[in-house]
Amino acid sequence: MNIDLHTHMKLSKKTYFDETYFNTMVTEALANDLNAIALTEHFNTLRFSDIYDSLDKHFPYESDHYNANGLKIFPGLEVDIAETGHILLIGARESVRAMRHHLEPFTEPDHFVPFKQLLDWADELNMIKIGAHPYRDSTPLHHLDRDLLSRLDAFDLNGKDLYVQGQDQLVQNVSRLADELSLPIVGGSDTHHFLQYGSVYSTFPEPIATMTDLKSAIKATNQQVHISPCLKTKVKSAILMKKMLKSSVRV
């Protein structure tokens, strides 16, 4: 079962959620052999609640995921922390809405939530916690307190960073950090445009339906991270297309 564990369904934080764009993303995710995605939209994106209001209106939700025309969508969000860095949280839709409510006072850069507070809330809400792009220059995680990092469930091998930093160096860095903390690595494209789907994702040997299944499968470490031989083309095309589209839409 192929799952992309870091995806976005909006072109950028400042654009409105668009159902037509969303449906195109779903179609293209399936066309890239993905069976499921974690929808980890930025927590401080414009009108965050519009996303889950729309999903609740148009798609069935059962066993902790939406079924969007055959694509399983696990709810989630991507959160900035005060120490600098991004954390991916994946959970039941009620947990995602509750977490977003907790974070309402922490949406601005000079008031992002402390890492420990976010971890405590995520544990209370039984959410999966993934350290996003731990070696990105602008939002690194690798320097943070080891006791806090060890509370994560996995680290993200990130499609955009594989393109920017090079596959060999990034895989080496993330693997070293993951080994140090005895944590697994999962694949996430970090896409805002469908051309980036399939650049990197995790393949699990068994079907996954519930959040418990997903958390257990990540911890079992018997998944494989698949990196497309076309990653550079996929990510570069998506970056260029995103730039063109952003210049043509009202933000």
Side-chain angles (χ1 to χ4, degrees), residues 179-192:
D179 288 345
E180 177 188 341
L181 296 167
S182 298
L183 292 175
I185 295 171
V186 296
S189 69
D190 199 3
T191 184
H192 285 262

Side-chain angles (χ1 to χ4, degrees), residues 87 115-116 119 123 129-131 141-155 177-184 215 219:
I87 306 299
F115 191 17
K116 182 180 183 305
L119 292 169
D123 287 341
K129 311 174 293 291
I130 299 173
L141 291 174
H142 60 84
H143 62 292
L144 297 182
D145 182 277
R146 289 323 196 232
D147 288 339
L148 295 179
L149 288 176
S150 66
R151 292 176 61 184
L152 296 172
D153 296 299
F155 285 111
L177 180 63
D179 288 345
E180 177 188 341
L181 296 167
S182 298
L183 292 175
K215 192 167 188 174
K219 285 187 173 295

